[in-house]
Amino acid sequence: MPIRSVPLLLALLVLAPAAPAAAATESGAALVRTWCSGCHRERAPGQFERISDIRKTPEGWVMTLFRMRQVHHLALPDEVHDALVRHLADTQGLAPAEAAPGRFALERRPNVQDLDLGPELGVMCGRCHSLARVALQRRDADEWLKHMHFHMGQFPSLEYQASGRDRPWWEIASTKLPAELAALYPLATPAWRDWQARAKPELAGRWVVVGHVPGGRDFYGTAEIRRDAAGEYRAQYALTEVGGGALAGESHAIVYTGFEWRGRGTLGGHATREIYAASEDGRRLTGRWFDPEHSEEGGDFTALRADAPAEVLAVLPQALKVGTGAHVVVVGTGLAGAAAPSFGDGARAVVARREANVLEADVTVAADAAPGNRVVSAGAASGRLVVYRQIDALEVRPAYGIARVGGGRIAPVTAQFEAIGATRLPGGELVSLGPVAAEWRAEPFDEEAKRTADVDFAGRLEANGRYRPAGAGPNPKREFSGNNVGNLAIVARARDAGDALEGRGHLVVTVQRWNTPPIY
Ligand code: HEC
Ligand code: HEC
């Protein structure tokens, strides 16, 4: 090595930021000082310009740090990145009540109606991304204004794209909106002050779990959650699929902000991501798990501490037809007891298994049983069951779905529909029966879709109501070698009712989404 480069090397060693190994020991504020203060001035001890004036979810911080790396070329080692997301989400996060309205976006629920923040924000911001992305942040007016400057600076063609000339976007965004956004989502709130002051729930212990995957799969069982040496959580799942077999799983989770459970694991051999929220009292975990590569494929998850006060989490199935029988599973806490369980008037039960957290029984409903709601009682807990004569209405959910063709590196995005039945009680009340078995078909949504034969090109509808889109075009078989997009009606016909009983949903099969950030 030529001698003249030694001083340079020494200088680099001195200037080199803390080694990644230091991330675990260095305090959060010290990490921000080391890695961020070169651009974000420390205006007072531990107070950094821009950074200290915003609160957001772990996913929000991940998106910001992605930008610091990608756009502003910050070379941030992964360990430091992860430690920073923890520190920032813990000290500048959202309280449970603040995060609640936008959780659907964190959980990456497909085909959910976005938040309604009035006509102006809907068009100003909702034209590019979900309003949940906005609702999951807290800032004062001057910070919202800076964020508008960032939008214009990073996307200078903003006013010309996405039908942007419908209004003076920049003028509105830079004058009246910052105050409006600050009134809706201010930096300092009683909710956050209270949450910061509270002791955070400890989640280790034994839990009762129920899960529902749209398309007809229900799970129940237990989770054993413990803390590992690093203070992170490890969960072991022992689940049973209703009408199926056993399903084991495990996950490794970090809990941010004292309640935001983010896990990675496997279930039945498939990789999973878990986005759950612990309730403020630490007795309940709710959310959604999904396939990391296909966030639209996943299920609803609820867990209740096994020692929580008696409660029925689920009765599976939740509806029984008169004159029939079914194997019914009741999941919850406090279900054991001396008294025989009851499924209500007109229902006879033969108990097959009974423990504190699960009750299985073969239940027969008399042919002349009165239709209506029944109270299911077991031990100290009670739940609900519906006894019905006939299905009177069928609703397809989602009413409006989106699927995306696949192509190149981008996998297709499927759309899962469910048929939700309802029965009309003699008194006239319409009562939901939950998901019911249905036969599915796709039809052209309108005349134009019929003319362009969208049903033939856009993909296929599987027997359980999942639409699998086709590969991306151009397709020489289509008019103008068009893409395999489609405008379809998704029709469900209840197997249990007359031919006339159908429900209809709308499906648009559209092009790929090239960019999928953590908060759509
Ligand atoms: C190389 C300079 C640079 C470094 C280093 C840097 N930033 Fe930034 N940061 C910027 C610039 C420029 C902006 C304004 C434009 C934008 O928002 O992307 C910004 C904006 C921000 C904002 C406001 C974004 C918003 O939501 O409106 C946050 C928060 C932030 N940075 C966090 C960080 C953190 C945390 C670090 C350290 C890990 C960091 N930055 C390091 C340049 C930097
Ligand atoms: C032209 C499209 C477009 C419009 C219009 C738009 N946004 Fe965004 N916004 C984006 C993109 C793209 C990102 C992601 C930027 C990134 O992280 O690189 C983003 C990110 C955000 C974020 C998260 C940024 C972070 O670092 O945490 C917030 C909050 C946000 N926008 C608020 C708004 C608000 C409020 C409006 C309406 C006044 C709005 N946006 C309008 C495109 C848009």
Side-chain angles (χ1 to χ4, degrees):
M1 181 189 291
I3 196 85
R4 69 177 177 281
S5 65
V6 169
L8 177 63
L9 187 66
L10 283 177
L12 282 175
L13 284 174
V14 172
L15 287 177
T25 50
E26 214 175 338
S27 82
L31 285 179
V32 177
R33 186 170 299 122
T34 305
W35 294 93
C36 319
S37 67
C39 299
H40 296 271
R41 193 172 64 93
E42 189 168 7
R43 62 180 178 225
Q47 288 288 311
F48 301 88
E49 276 175 358
R50 306 292 318 268
I51 301 171
S52 303
D53 302 328
I54 308 177
R55 293 192 285 120
K56 39 190 148 188
T57 56
E59 284 78 4
W61 286 112
V62 165
M63 285 177 66
T64 303
L65 290 184
F66 177 84
R67 193 163 73 249
M68 295 307 120
R69 283 168 148 176
Q70 188 83 2
V71 178
H72 307 310
H73 306 297
L74 169 63
L76 196 61
D78 287 345
E79 295 88 338
V80 180
H81 171 276
D82 296 354
L84 275 168
V85 172
R86 255 185 213 224
H87 164 68
L88 292 165
D90 285 351
T91 55
Q92 295 168 230
L94 261 56
E98 292 178 317
R103 294 210 74 76
F104 67 89
L106 301 176
E107 294 168 352
R108 302 201 216 173
R109 288 187 184 270
N111 303 315
V112 179
Q113 181 96 42
D114 197 3
L115 299 174
D116 180 358
L117 302 183
E120 184 150 76
L121 289 176
V123 180
M124 286 290 289
C125 319
R127 73 177 71 196
C128 287
H129 50 70
S130 73
L131 293 174
R133 191 185 282 185
V134 181
L136 290 169
Q137 301 224 348
R138 296 293 182 277
R139 317 160 178 244
D140 287 333
D142 60 334
E143 252 307 323
W144 280 112
L145 175 61
K146 285 181 181 142
H147 199 53
M148 295 299 98
H149 278 270
F150 142 72
H151 272 76
M152 193 48 106
Q154 185 155 319
F155 314 110
S157 61
L158 186 154
E159 287 203 287
Y160 305 96
Q161 70 186 65
S163 309
R165 295 307 278 166
D166 59 333
R167 63 195 60 212
W169 193 95
W170 173 245
E171 192 186 317
I172 300 168
S174 58
T175 54
K176 61 187 287 231
L177 281 199
E180 263 175 46
L181 288 164
L184 277 171
Y185 305 120
L187 182 64
T189 62
W192 177 242
R193 210 178 312 120
D194 293 350
W195 181 246
Q196 268 184 308
R198 279 181 76 136
K200 303 302 181 291
E202 168 57 52
L203 304 178
R206 188 161 188 271
W207 296 73
V208 192
V209 171
V210 292
H212 172 71
V213 176
R217 298 175 70 197
D218 287 291
F219 303 98
Y220 63 95
T222 55
E224 297 286 348
I225 300 179
R226 63 178 178 85
R227 288 242 198 196
D228 65 13
E232 295 172 359
Y233 287 103
R234 303 275 169 173
Q236 291 286 341
Y237 301 104
L239 305 182
T240 304
E241 181 172 353
V242 173
L247 197 77
E250 48 79 33
S251 80
H252 173 194
I254 296 179
V255 171
Y256 298 91
T257 330
F259 74 103
E260 292 280 13
W261 171 288
R262 300 292 184 270
R264 287 159 189 269
T266 58
L267 196 58
H270 296 284
T272 54
R273 288 280 182 284
E274 303 170 331
I275 312 279
Y276 304 152
S279 61
E280 298 194 18
D281 63 10
R283 280 192 192 144
R284 196 179 295 267
L285 275 169
T286 44
R288 181 169 181 267
W289 82 87
F290 52 81
D291 179 323
E293 306 295 322
H294 289 272
S295 64
E296 75 278 14
E297 293 180 16
D300 296 319
F301 174 95
T302 308
L304 187 63
R305 264 188 185 286
D307 58 4
E311 177 179 336
V312 167
L313 266 187
V315 178
L316 307 164
Q318 66 192 71
L320 291 179
K321 189 172 179 167
V322 293
T324 69
H327 189 75
V328 176
V329 183
V330 183
V331 191
T333 51
L335 304 181
S342 161
F343 290 82
D345 287 348
R348 268 192 323 113
V350 178
V351 174
R353 173 184 171 201
R354 187 173 188 189
E355 290 154 26
N357 300 127
V358 60
L359 166 68
E360 291 184 35
D362 292 305
V363 180
T364 326
V365 180
D368 61 354
N373 290 306
R374 296 291 192 282
V375 173
V376 176
S377 57
S382 60
R384 200 186 75 122
L385 181 74
V386 182
V387 167
Y388 70 99
R389 281 229 165 94
Q390 72 291 320
I391 302 177
D392 293 305
L394 206 58
E395 180 196 339
V396 169
R397 275 194 209 155
Y400 180 80
I402 302 255
R404 293 176 185 275
V405 294
R409 289 187 297 113
I410 307 290
V413 175
T414 61
Q416 177 70 59
F417 291 89
E418 280 192 300
I420 309 295
T423 191
R424 195 171 293 285
L425 298 182
E429 189 194 349
L430 205 56
V431 176
S432 176
L433 305 174
V436 296
E439 273 150 22
W440 294 93
R441 66 176 194 278
E443 291 181 351
F445 185 75
D446 57 15
E447 279 305 312
E448 177 61 11
K450 188 172 179 182
R451 192 187 68 75
T452 51
D454 290 6
V455 171
D456 301 335
F457 291 108
R460 68 195 159 81
L461 188 57
E462 296 177 344
N464 70 346
R466 178 182 298 274
Y467 194 85
R468 291 211 179 267
N475 185 346
K477 295 202 184 101
R478 295 204 84 171
E479 191 177 28
F480 309 123
S481 287
N483 205 343
N484 290 322
V485 295
N487 187 15
L488 307 176
I490 301 296
V491 186
R493 193 171 69 189
R495 276 192 211 128
D496 200 21
D499 281 358
L501 193 64
E502 291 187 343
R504 294 173 88 79
H506 187 185
L507 173 70
V508 170
V509 183
T510 184
V511 297
Q512 297 97 315
R513 183 165 56 197
W514 301 100
N515 176 351
T516 304
I519 304 178
Y520 51 54

mmCIF file of all heavy atoms in Angstrom, residues 35-36 39-40 50-51 54 56 61 64-65 67-68 72 74 76 84 88 137 139 143 147 150 154, ligand 1:
data_model
loop_
_atom_site.group_PDB
_atom_site.id
_atom_site.type_symbol
_atom_site.label_atom_id
_atom_site.label_comp_id
_atom_site.label_asym_id
_atom_site.label_seq_id
_atom_site.Cartn_x
_atom_site.Cartn_y
_atom_site.Cartn_z
ATOM 1 N N TRP A 35 -26.426 8.115 12.470
ATOM 2 C CA TRP A 35 -26.803 7.782 11.103
ATOM 3 C C TRP A 35 -27.629 8.845 10.399
ATOM 4 O O TRP A 35 -27.738 8.825 9.179
ATOM 5 C CB TRP A 35 -27.563 6.448 11.079
ATOM 6 C CG TRP A 35 -26.673 5.318 11.483
ATOM 7 C CD1 TRP A 35 -26.508 4.801 12.736
ATOM 8 C CD2 TRP A 35 -25.793 4.598 10.622
ATOM 9 N NE1 TRP A 35 -25.575 3.792 12.718
ATOM 10 C CE2 TRP A 35 -25.120 3.647 11.427
ATOM 11 C CE3 TRP A 35 -25.490 4.658 9.256
ATOM 12 C CZ2 TRP A 35 -24.172 2.767 10.905
ATOM 13 C CZ3 TRP A 35 -24.550 3.778 8.738
ATOM 14 C CH2 TRP A 35 -23.908 2.846 9.565
ATOM 15 N N CYS A 36 -28.237 9.740 11.126
ATOM 16 C CA CYS A 36 -29.185 10.646 10.482
ATOM 17 C C CYS A 36 -28.795 12.115 10.621
ATOM 18 O O CYS A 36 -29.190 12.939 9.799
ATOM 19 C CB CYS A 36 -30.589 10.458 11.068
ATOM 20 S SG CYS A 36 -31.039 8.733 11.359
ATOM 21 N N CYS A 39 -27.717 14.888 7.976
ATOM 22 C CA CYS A 39 -28.703 15.645 7.193
ATOM 23 C C CYS A 39 -29.804 16.239 8.077
ATOM 24 O O CYS A 39 -30.377 17.259 7.734
ATOM 25 C CB CYS A 39 -29.345 14.759 6.132
ATOM 26 S SG CYS A 39 -28.183 14.095 4.923
ATOM 27 N N HIS A 40 -30.122 15.572 9.178
ATOM 28 C CA HIS A 40 -31.192 16.056 10.070
ATOM 29 C C HIS A 40 -30.539 16.635 11.317
ATOM 30 O O HIS A 40 -30.170 15.899 12.235
ATOM 31 C CB HIS A 40 -32.138 14.906 10.440
ATOM 32 C CG HIS A 40 -32.868 14.337 9.263
ATOM 33 N ND1 HIS A 40 -34.074 14.831 8.842
ATOM 34 C CD2 HIS A 40 -32.564 13.329 8.408
ATOM 35 C CE1 HIS A 40 -34.487 14.141 7.783
ATOM 36 N NE2 HIS A 40 -33.583 13.226 7.499
ATOM 37 N N ARG A 50 -37.134 17.312 11.462
ATOM 38 C CA ARG A 50 -38.036 16.431 10.728
ATOM 39 C C ARG A 50 -38.319 15.132 11.497
ATOM 40 O O ARG A 50 -39.469 14.794 11.737
ATOM 41 C CB ARG A 50 -37.505 16.046 9.317
ATOM 42 C CG ARG A 50 -37.126 17.189 8.385
ATOM 43 C CD ARG A 50 -38.302 18.024 7.925
ATOM 44 N NE ARG A 50 -39.508 17.306 7.567
ATOM 45 C CZ ARG A 50 -39.825 16.873 6.359
ATOM 46 N NH1 ARG A 50 -39.005 17.061 5.362
ATOM 47 N NH2 ARG A 50 -40.974 16.271 6.138
ATOM 48 N N ILE A 51 -37.276 14.409 11.877
ATOM 49 C CA ILE A 51 -37.490 13.072 12.437
ATOM 50 C C ILE A 51 -38.321 13.139 13.723
ATOM 51 O O ILE A 51 -39.263 12.364 13.917
ATOM 52 C CB ILE A 51 -36.134 12.385 12.724
ATOM 53 C CG1 ILE A 51 -35.339 12.272 11.421
ATOM 54 C CG2 ILE A 51 -36.343 11.016 13.366
ATOM 55 C CD1 ILE A 51 -33.915 11.813 11.613
ATOM 56 N N ILE A 54 -42.605 13.734 13.858
ATOM 57 C CA ILE A 54 -43.561 12.861 13.175
ATOM 58 C C ILE A 54 -43.754 11.598 13.995
ATOM 59 O O ILE A 54 -42.811 11.113 14.619
ATOM 60 C CB ILE A 54 -43.036 12.466 11.770
ATOM 61 C CG1 ILE A 54 -42.636 13.708 10.972
ATOM 62 C CG2 ILE A 54 -44.076 11.662 11.013
ATOM 63 C CD1 ILE A 54 -42.042 13.401 9.613
ATOM 64 N N LYS A 56 -45.401 7.633 13.420
ATOM 65 C CA LYS A 56 -46.006 6.710 12.462
ATOM 66 C C LYS A 56 -45.852 5.270 12.901
ATOM 67 O O LYS A 56 -45.188 4.972 13.891
ATOM 68 C CB LYS A 56 -45.511 6.935 11.037
ATOM 69 C CG LYS A 56 -44.053 7.260 10.823
ATOM 70 C CD LYS A 56 -43.828 7.679 9.353
ATOM 71 C CE LYS A 56 -42.717 8.692 9.193
ATOM 72 N NZ LYS A 56 -42.615 9.227 7.840
ATOM 73 N N TRP A 61 -42.386 3.885 9.257
ATOM 74 C CA TRP A 61 -40.948 4.135 9.418
ATOM 75 C C TRP A 61 -40.144 3.339 8.397
ATOM 76 O O TRP A 61 -39.140 3.830 7.869
ATOM 77 C CB TRP A 61 -40.508 3.819 10.851
ATOM 78 C CG TRP A 61 -40.977 4.865 11.828
ATOM 79 C CD1 TRP A 61 -41.903 4.721 12.815
ATOM 80 C CD2 TRP A 61 -40.567 6.247 11.870
ATOM 81 N NE1 TRP A 61 -42.095 5.905 13.478
ATOM 82 C CE2 TRP A 61 -41.281 6.865 12.916
ATOM 83 C CE3 TRP A 61 -39.665 7.012 11.128
ATOM 84 C CZ2 TRP A 61 -41.121 8.214 13.240
ATOM 85 C CZ3 TRP A 61 -39.507 8.359 11.451
ATOM 86 C CH2 TRP A 61 -40.230 8.946 12.495
ATOM 87 N N THR A 64 -40.213 5.264 5.200
ATOM 88 C CA THR A 64 -39.353 6.457 5.223
ATOM 89 C C THR A 64 -37.886 6.051 5.104
ATOM 90 O O THR A 64 -37.133 6.653 4.329
ATOM 91 C CB THR A 64 -39.573 7.250 6.527
ATOM 92 O OG1 THR A 64 -40.961 7.580 6.621
ATOM 93 C CG2 THR A 64 -38.761 8.529 6.529
ATOM 94 N N LEU A 65 -37.484 5.033 5.859
ATOM 95 C CA LEU A 65 -36.067 4.621 5.803
ATOM 96 C C LEU A 65 -35.717 4.065 4.422
ATOM 97 O O LEU A 65 -34.601 4.242 3.937
ATOM 98 C CB LEU A 65 -35.757 3.603 6.900
ATOM 99 C CG LEU A 65 -35.757 4.189 8.323
ATOM 100 C CD1 LEU A 65 -35.332 3.126 9.335
ATOM 101 C CD2 LEU A 65 -34.825 5.396 8.434
ATOM 102 N N ARG A 67 -36.859 5.227 1.737
ATOM 103 C CA ARG A 67 -36.591 6.416 0.918
ATOM 104 C C ARG A 67 -35.240 7.036 1.259
ATOM 105 O O ARG A 67 -34.523 7.506 0.376
ATOM 106 C CB ARG A 67 -37.731 7.422 1.097
ATOM 107 C CG ARG A 67 -37.698 8.533 0.073
ATOM 108 C CD ARG A 67 -39.013 9.276 -0.007
ATOM 109 N NE ARG A 67 -39.256 10.136 1.128
ATOM 110 C CZ ARG A 67 -40.200 9.926 2.046
ATOM 111 N NH1 ARG A 67 -40.988 8.881 1.957
ATOM 112 N NH2 ARG A 67 -40.369 10.770 3.033
ATOM 113 N N MET A 68 -34.886 7.053 2.547
ATOM 114 C CA MET A 68 -33.584 7.622 2.924
ATOM 115 C C MET A 68 -32.460 6.835 2.232
ATOM 116 O O MET A 68 -31.464 7.404 1.801
ATOM 117 C CB MET A 68 -33.384 7.594 4.443
ATOM 118 C CG MET A 68 -34.355 8.474 5.231
ATOM 119 S SD MET A 68 -34.427 10.179 4.698
ATOM 120 C CE MET A 68 -36.145 10.328 4.227
ATOM 121 N N HIS A 72 -32.094 9.122 -1.007
ATOM 122 C CA HIS A 72 -31.069 10.012 -0.458
ATOM 123 C C HIS A 72 -29.748 9.285 -0.199
ATOM 124 O O HIS A 72 -28.854 9.828 0.436
ATOM 125 C CB HIS A 72 -31.598 10.696 0.803
ATOM 126 C CG HIS A 72 -32.920 11.377 0.586
ATOM 127 N ND1 HIS A 72 -33.145 12.246 -0.460
ATOM 128 C CD2 HIS A 72 -34.106 11.274 1.235
ATOM 129 C CE1 HIS A 72 -34.406 12.669 -0.418
ATOM 130 N NE2 HIS A 72 -35.020 12.082 0.595
ATOM 131 N N LEU A 74 -28.575 6.945 1.714
ATOM 132 C CA LEU A 74 -28.045 6.653 3.040
ATOM 133 C C LEU A 74 -27.664 5.171 3.085
ATOM 134 O O LEU A 74 -28.504 4.311 2.841
ATOM 135 C CB LEU A 74 -29.112 6.978 4.092
ATOM 136 C CG LEU A 74 -28.830 6.493 5.511
ATOM 137 C CD1 LEU A 74 -27.579 7.154 6.063
ATOM 138 C CD2 LEU A 74 -30.026 6.784 6.404
ATOM 139 N N LEU A 76 -27.301 2.430 5.058
ATOM 140 C CA LEU A 76 -27.716 2.028 6.408
ATOM 141 C C LEU A 76 -27.645 0.511 6.513
ATOM 142 O O LEU A 76 -28.377 -0.196 5.823
ATOM 143 C CB LEU A 76 -29.160 2.506 6.606
ATOM 144 C CG LEU A 76 -29.731 2.566 8.017
ATOM 145 C CD1 LEU A 76 -28.944 3.524 8.877
ATOM 146 C CD2 LEU A 76 -31.196 2.993 7.941
ATOM 147 N N LEU A 84 -33.414 0.977 14.359
ATOM 148 C CA LEU A 84 -34.029 2.300 14.239
ATOM 149 C C LEU A 84 -35.548 2.198 14.116
ATOM 150 O O LEU A 84 -36.275 3.007 14.699
ATOM 151 C CB LEU A 84 -33.461 3.024 13.012
ATOM 152 C CG LEU A 84 -32.148 3.766 13.233
ATOM 153 C CD1 LEU A 84 -31.542 4.180 11.895
ATOM 154 C CD2 LEU A 84 -32.365 4.984 14.129
ATOM 155 N N LEU A 88 -37.846 4.094 16.712
ATOM 156 C CA LEU A 88 -38.762 5.143 16.247
ATOM 157 C C LEU A 88 -40.222 4.741 16.465
ATOM 158 O O LEU A 88 -41.038 5.548 16.901
ATOM 159 C CB LEU A 88 -38.479 5.467 14.770
ATOM 160 C CG LEU A 88 -37.114 6.139 14.541
ATOM 161 C CD1 LEU A 88 -36.715 6.100 13.071
ATOM 162 C CD2 LEU A 88 -37.138 7.582 15.057
ATOM 163 N N GLN A 137 -50.408 8.509 10.184
ATOM 164 C CA GLN A 137 -49.299 9.392 10.551
ATOM 165 C C GLN A 137 -49.821 10.538 11.398
ATOM 166 O O GLN A 137 -50.978 10.920 11.285
ATOM 167 C CB GLN A 137 -48.665 9.981 9.283
ATOM 168 C CG GLN A 137 -48.145 8.928 8.343
ATOM 169 C CD GLN A 137 -46.778 9.265 7.798
ATOM 170 O OE1 GLN A 137 -46.287 10.380 7.935
ATOM 171 N NE2 GLN A 137 -46.143 8.276 7.185
ATOM 172 N N ARG A 139 -48.685 14.545 12.562
ATOM 173 C CA ARG A 139 -47.758 15.680 12.442
ATOM 174 C C ARG A 139 -48.536 16.960 12.697
ATOM 175 O O ARG A 139 -49.756 16.969 12.544
ATOM 176 C CB ARG A 139 -47.201 15.822 11.013
ATOM 177 C CG ARG A 139 -46.780 14.570 10.337
ATOM 178 C CD ARG A 139 -46.734 14.787 8.818
ATOM 179 N NE ARG A 139 -46.271 13.552 8.199
ATOM 180 C CZ ARG A 139 -45.126 13.428 7.520
ATOM 181 N NH1 ARG A 139 -44.373 14.477 7.294
ATOM 182 N NH2 ARG A 139 -44.762 12.266 7.037
ATOM 183 N N GLU A 143 -45.234 20.403 9.590
ATOM 184 C CA GLU A 143 -44.684 19.137 9.094
ATOM 185 C C GLU A 143 -45.526 18.587 7.948
ATOM 186 O O GLU A 143 -44.990 18.046 6.974
ATOM 187 C CB GLU A 143 -44.612 18.107 10.221
ATOM 188 C CG GLU A 143 -43.212 17.799 10.713
ATOM 189 C CD GLU A 143 -42.239 17.393 9.619
ATOM 190 O OE1 GLU A 143 -42.623 16.698 8.659
ATOM 191 O OE2 GLU A 143 -41.070 17.805 9.722
ATOM 192 N N HIS A 147 -44.238 17.852 4.172
ATOM 193 C CA HIS A 147 -44.499 16.596 3.464
ATOM 194 C C HIS A 147 -45.132 16.853 2.092
ATOM 195 O O HIS A 147 -44.901 16.107 1.148
ATOM 196 C CB HIS A 147 -45.400 15.697 4.321
ATOM 197 C CG HIS A 147 -45.352 14.268 3.899
ATOM 198 N ND1 HIS A 147 -44.178 13.560 3.772
ATOM 199 C CD2 HIS A 147 -46.333 13.407 3.555
ATOM 200 C CE1 HIS A 147 -44.452 12.326 3.369
ATOM 201 N NE2 HIS A 147 -45.747 12.211 3.218
ATOM 202 N N PHE A 150 -42.270 17.634 -0.046
ATOM 203 C CA PHE A 150 -41.592 16.396 -0.456
ATOM 204 C C PHE A 150 -42.321 15.774 -1.649
ATOM 205 O O PHE A 150 -41.695 15.355 -2.625
ATOM 206 C CB PHE A 150 -41.509 15.396 0.707
ATOM 207 C CG PHE A 150 -41.704 13.966 0.277
ATOM 208 C CD1 PHE A 150 -40.717 13.300 -0.435
ATOM 209 C CD2 PHE A 150 -42.911 13.313 0.525
ATOM 210 C CE1 PHE A 150 -40.924 11.990 -0.881
ATOM 211 C CE2 PHE A 150 -43.120 12.020 0.084
ATOM 212 C CZ PHE A 150 -42.132 11.349 -0.622
ATOM 213 N N GLN A 154 -40.356 15.260 -5.004
ATOM 214 C CA GLN A 154 -40.015 13.929 -5.508
ATOM 215 C C GLN A 154 -40.806 13.569 -6.761
ATOM 216 O O GLN A 154 -40.329 12.803 -7.591
ATOM 217 C CB GLN A 154 -40.234 12.864 -4.430
ATOM 218 C CG GLN A 154 -39.773 11.494 -4.907
ATOM 219 C CD GLN A 154 -39.388 10.567 -3.761
ATOM 220 O OE1 GLN A 154 -38.755 10.970 -2.794
ATOM 221 N NE2 GLN A 154 -39.770 9.317 -3.874
HETATM 222 C C1 HEC B 1 -28.222 12.105 2.965
HETATM 223 C C2 HEC B 1 -29.128 12.941 3.703
HETATM 224 C C3 HEC B 1 -30.104 12.234 4.616
HETATM 225 C C4 HEC B 1 -29.819 11.343 5.625
HETATM 226 C C5 HEC B 1 -28.479 10.785 6.044
HETATM 227 C C6 HEC B 1 -31.077 11.055 6.236
HETATM 228 N N1 HEC B 1 -32.072 11.752 5.644
HETATM 229 FE FE1 HEC B 1 -34.018 11.767 6.199
HETATM 230 N N2 HEC B 1 -34.419 13.132 4.774
HETATM 231 C C7 HEC B 1 -33.535 13.603 3.852
HETATM 232 C C8 HEC B 1 -34.208 14.502 2.946
HETATM 233 C C9 HEC B 1 -33.562 15.226 1.782
HETATM 234 C C10 HEC B 1 -35.546 14.556 3.366
HETATM 235 C C11 HEC B 1 -36.692 15.369 2.740
HETATM 236 C C12 HEC B 1 -37.279 14.632 1.521
HETATM 237 C C13 HEC B 1 -37.996 13.358 1.851
HETATM 238 O O1 HEC B 1 -38.897 13.357 2.714
HETATM 239 O O2 HEC B 1 -37.655 12.329 1.263
HETATM 240 C C14 HEC B 1 -35.646 13.682 4.515
HETATM 241 C C15 HEC B 1 -36.816 13.481 5.222
HETATM 242 C C16 HEC B 1 -36.923 12.679 6.325
HETATM 243 C C17 HEC B 1 -38.104 12.531 7.112
HETATM 244 C C18 HEC B 1 -39.420 13.215 6.883
HETATM 245 C C19 HEC B 1 -40.169 12.376 5.872
HETATM 246 C C20 HEC B 1 -41.642 12.536 5.924
HETATM 247 O O3 HEC B 1 -42.295 11.583 6.314
HETATM 248 O O4 HEC B 1 -42.127 13.600 5.574
HETATM 249 C C21 HEC B 1 -37.847 11.623 8.071
HETATM 250 C C22 HEC B 1 -38.791 11.130 9.151
HETATM 251 C C23 HEC B 1 -36.480 11.201 7.891
HETATM 252 N N3 HEC B 1 -35.938 11.866 6.827
HETATM 253 C C24 HEC B 1 -35.849 10.271 8.679
HETATM 254 C C25 HEC B 1 -34.510 9.962 8.570
HETATM 255 C C26 HEC B 1 -33.820 9.050 9.453
HETATM 256 C C27 HEC B 1 -34.483 8.291 10.589
HETATM 257 C C28 HEC B 1 -32.529 9.021 9.050
HETATM 258 C C29 HEC B 1 -31.389 8.217 9.637
HETATM 259 C C30 HEC B 1 -31.567 6.798 9.612
HETATM 260 C C31 HEC B 1 -32.401 9.910 7.930
HETATM 261 N N4 HEC B 1 -33.615 10.465 7.654
HETATM 262 C C32 HEC B 1 -31.224 10.163 7.283
HETATM 263 C C33 HEC B 1 -32.190 13.330 3.793
HETATM 264 C C34 HEC B 1 -31.533 12.473 4.647
#
